[in-house]
Amino acid sequence: MKQPRAWQRMLSGRRLDLLDPTPMDVEIADIAHGLAFVARWNGQTQGDWPYSVAEHSLLVERIFSRLDPGAGPKWQLAALLHDAPEYVIGDMISPVKSAIGPGYGELDQRLTAAIHIRFGLPAALPVRIKKSIKAADRVSAWLEAVRIAGFTEAEADRLFGKPPVTVLNGLQIDLRPPVQVRCEFITRHQQLLAGF
């Protein structure tokens, strides 16, 4: 039996088949726009603006660059795009992803592969890079939990691991209007693409 289509019309005019995405249907403007409007922590953060997945992605890329300074622009771009599928499937907390089962992971992998290929990355990242990005993601989660989501440091340490103090030095969590975050995400994407 043929799988039904699950089309999403993007602001760029592209139509993305969520179940069978192709690199040709992926645009950075759509990703940046979607991620700038998707709230992390289910919106349960302090501040006047939701903390968006776009803002989180920018932070993860900065942390990744600190943890793996020799990685270069190609892998920094992979870090920036680590949650890119969420521009169409949203951000779900880990317990919900687990409850949904393997279907969520498969959908995420198909979208990730299309996005990676569109921007010159391998469909599947090398294991070392994937682990480094995951480590940066955990540091970001710790920082977000403590600074804007109401967790104590002890709670964050237990859930995400205690990050190295040297990595945290000078890192800020900015809560900004979506249009500002979207513009910064696109600019950073362009800078990294130009670097490889």
Side-chain angles (χ1 to χ4, degrees):
M1 182 173 196
K2 191 172 179 179
Q3 185 171 295
R5 297 283 185 192
W7 294 102
Q8 169 73 45
R9 187 182 185 288
M10 312 314 300
L11 288 177
S12 66
R14 299 270 188 199
R15 288 183 52 146
L16 180 68
D17 183 345
L18 301 178
L19 301 177
D20 189 21
T22 67
M24 293 184 328
D25 295 322
V26 174
E27 294 293 338
I28 195 60
D30 294 328
I31 293 171
H33 182 83
L35 294 182
F37 282 92
V38 174
R40 292 256 307 157
W41 302 94
N42 285 337
Q44 299 301 306
T45 53
Q46 301 164 359
D48 294 331
W49 297 98
Y51 184 69
S52 72
V53 174
E55 196 75 73
H56 162 76
S57 297
L58 289 160
L59 180 60
V60 168
E61 189 262 320
R62 283 193 296 277
I63 294 168
F64 171 78
S65 297
R66 288 178 176 197
L67 292 174
D68 198 345
K74 179 178 184 177
W75 303 129
Q76 288 171 285
L77 179 61
L80 181 68
L81 296 173
H82 80 284
D83 279 340
E86 293 178 10
Y87 85 109
V88 289
I89 59 176
D91 181 40
M92 288 188 228
I93 58 174
S94 296
V96 174
K97 288 178 187 176
S98 296
I100 290 173
Y104 181 89
E106 292 166 10
L107 177 61
D108 184 79
Q109 286 175 348
R110 284 194 297 273
L111 285 164
T112 297
I115 291 163
H116 281 182
I117 291 167
R118 170 67 174 89
F119 299 115
L121 298 169
L125 298 176
V127 172
R128 184 187 77 75
I129 297 300
K130 193 169 183 170
K131 284 182 178 179
S132 275
I133 292 171
K134 187 62 181 168
D137 196 26
R138 291 179 69 79
V139 171
S140 178
W142 186 95
L143 192 63
E144 294 162 18
V146 169
R147 301 252 176 104
I148 59 171
F151 288 63
T152 66
E153 286 192 19
E155 289 172 319
D157 289 350
R158 195 170 51 257
L159 290 168
F160 308 110
K162 186 163 188 67
V165 175
T166 54
V167 174
L168 297 176
N169 285 340
L171 289 177
Q172 298 296 319
I173 301 255
D174 295 320
L175 299 174
R176 302 179 285 170
V179 67
Q180 289 179 7
V181 181
R182 180 181 67 211
C183 289
E184 185 178 336
F185 189 95
I186 290 171
T187 298
R188 187 62 182 145
H189 178 266
Q190 291 168 341
Q191 291 168 342
L192 292 170
L193 265 183
F196 70 90

